[in-house]
Structures are given as structure tokens and as C-alpha cells.
Amino acid sequence: MTYEVIRHQLPLFDEDGRAGATDDEHGRDLYYLPDLPEEDPYAAGHRTCAGCGPAIQYRWVLKAAGQDTVVAGPTGCMYVANSTYLCTPYTVPWAHTPIASGGSFTSGVAAGYEAMIRKGRYPGPYPNILVMAGDGSASDIGIGSISGALYRNHDALFICYDNECYANTGIQVSPTTPYAGMTTFTPFGKAIPEGNKLPPKNLAKMMAEGHPHCYVATTTVGYPVDLMNKTRKGLNHVGAAFLHCYTPCQKGWVYQTSMTVELGRRVVESGLWPVWEYDPAERQYHYFYPPVQRPVTDYLAMQGRFGHMLPEHVATMQVGANRNWEAIGMDVPAPLRDLEDPGRHQRLKDEEYSMPLNRGAGA
Ligand SMILES: Cc1ncc(C[n+]2csc(CCOP(=O)(O)OP(=O)(O)O)c2C)c(N)n1
Ligand code: SF4
Ligand SMILES: [Mg+2]
């Protein structure tokens, strides 16, 4: 006898009911939080750095997923800093996987639950199954196993928490490290003054274009409701889903610890991280159009890892941002177009930039 596999349908959070919102000078509401679940499957008491972006992502994702969740974590900061022998911050089943095996391990969990439910050996419903892998794992060492899982369409959510470096082993360059991002493997010097010479791998577009039957989306820790809703959409999607989330690493990027969420918005507002959703039913991308378009200096100058940039490097970054604006169908305002000229820039450390309202608080 074969039993039916019953799946959860998680409701989305209301993006519009913004009671108690407070606008900043650009009309962005800063403090919007709808009624969120009180449960915290990622409990307090772990050992990540203060202001750790990946830890913020872990908390919001697991709040959105809820208690009937099975989560895997390949090797990286979010394994090492969260877990010691016989001790983890999770109140749901969790497993560590080797760094290359996040995709294959999670496929096996998904296939196993499906088979057990069909055979009547597990009562169901089918749990929310997800893996949160770092960028080193998801975009480099373990990309093959995640791509395989997406291709085979296992019913699970595969998430890359992207802190743009191999953080846990000492902030080495990864394929998603931005151009000019300084890491311990891309120091700046006379021979290579920009530090990292390469642009980042476009992981999310690779996943969407390469696996057109999958739900794929990008987001950042600057937009918690967007992150939680995309988590739920990915879990509700029957089949494989991939989420790419920007998660600042204060240790590796050298910024004030209170600025993690602010960076999560500025990276979008400066055109360096397009936020979008790929709908496999329509085979179309849906882009988020931020209400503010900033020069890249507003983003770069907040971080020590870019402090060495020369005028031509800042201009190169602005060219890339302007291409991104065009790619999502937004106009490039004339002042941002002008900033493609190196002659309009100084060394980054001397550039003026718009200060966050609460700059310094809590630092
Ligand atoms: C096959 C293999 N190569 C290298 C390592 C060493 N290693 C452990 S954690 C880590 C960093 C992982 O980076 P990422 O996936 O981006 O996660 P993060 O540390 O940034 O959170 C590396 C390289 C490993 N565990 N396994
Ligand atoms: S090094 Fe970065 S990613 Fe790792 S715990 Fe610290 S802030 Fe988080
Ligand atoms: Mg990383």
C-alpha cells in the first residue's frame, strides 16, 4: 500500500501592514516587523561574532520554517561557531555535513522522508527540509552536489548564506568575493593595488538559468520579511528551491557591528546586489526596485575591506553597479553615470559618503 505525502503550506507574512513604521530621510521604513512567530528554532547562546550576518539569516530562516523542520549545515562558520560536542543552538533536528556534501546530504534526507511516508513508516506530514551552506560551500567546493540536487528536483530548500569569503578558515577569497574586496588571499599591494581582481560569480543566476524548473531567489538580511517570505515560498514550492542571501561578516569585512542590516539595504540601493525572484511556472524574473539609488561609495566606504581602493577601482565598481541597474530595467540617474569616470573619485578613504543615521550607535 502507498500512503499520500501531505506537505505543509506556510502562509506568507504581510508586507503591507506596516504598523509603527518609522521612515528615514529616504522614506525607507526602518523598523517594520510584522507579527512574527515567537518560536526560535535557532536559539540564543551560540558563539558567532557580534553582528554576524549569517547568524541573523539563520534565525529568520528558521523562524519562518518553524518547528517541523530538518536542517543541515555544511562546514563553515555556521557549523563551527554554532556547535560544539553534544551542544547546538537548534531546537529542531540538525546535522553537519562535509563542506562539499550539503546538496547530496539534503537530497538523501528529502528522498528518505518521501519514501518513509509513502511506505507508511513515518506518519508525516513531510517536514520542511533545508540546508544553509556558506558561499565557499555553495558556490565553490560543494556547488556540484547542490546543482545535482536542484537538477533531480528533490523537495527541499537549498540556501547559500553569502558572506563573500571563506570566513571560518581566516577570511580567504571565495568565488563571491567582490572585485577589490581584500581577503587574506587577495591582499592589496604594489603589484595588485585593487586586491581581488575578479568580479563575483553570479551564483543565483547560474542556479536559475541552469535549473529552470526550480524556484530561485535572492535576498539580504536587510529585508527580514522578504527573507522570511522567500524561505516560505521556497519551502512551499514542491520540488527544489534555491535562495541566495547576502549576509555581512563583520570580522572579515571590518565594519561597525551595528551596521549589518544597514549594509543589507545599502548593497541593494547601490546596485551591487539585485534582489529578485525567479518563478519557474512563468519562467520569468521579478525584480525588486529599491526606492533609493546610491553611489557605490555609500556602501563601500563603510567597510575596511575596501579602504585601499583607488579612484579607478571605485569607478570600475560604479560601472558594474550601473550595468546591474540596466539589467533589472531601471534607469541610471545622470549623477551615477558620471561616477563611472575615475576623475570624479578620490581614494575611497578620502571620499565623502552618506552616513547612516545611527552610525556609531552600539559600536
Ligand atoms: C573539502 C574541504 N576543504 C576545506 C575545508 C576547510 N574549511 C572548513 S570551513 C571552511 C570555510 C568555508 O567557507 P564558507 O562555506 O564560505 O563558510 P563560512 O566559513 O564563510 O561561513 C573551509 C575552507 C574543509 N572543511 N573541507
Ligand atoms: S567570522 Fe563572520 S561569518 Fe564567522 S561568525 Fe564571525 S561574523 Fe559570522
Ligand atoms: Mg563564506
Side-chain angles (χ1 to χ4, degrees), residues 75-78 99 133-138 141 161 163 165-169:
T75 318
C77 264
M78 297 309 286
I99 195 168
D135 47 293
S137 171
I141 302 179
Y161 71 86
N163 56 12
C165 61
Y166 281 95
N168 190 242
T169 34

Side-chain angles (χ1 to χ4, degrees), residues 193-207:
E194 67 268 61
N196 184 27
K197 291 169 77 165
L198 300 174
K201 184 183 281 189
N202 196 337
L203 177 66
K205 276 276 162 95
M206 279 176 73
M207 293 311 200

Side-chain angles (χ1 to χ4, degrees), residues 139 143 201-211 216 276 285:
S139 74
I143 190 172
K201 184 183 281 189
N202 196 337
L203 177 66
K205 276 276 162 95
M206 279 176 73
M207 293 311 200
E209 293 291 322
H211 314 85
V216 182
W276 51 261
Y285 292 90

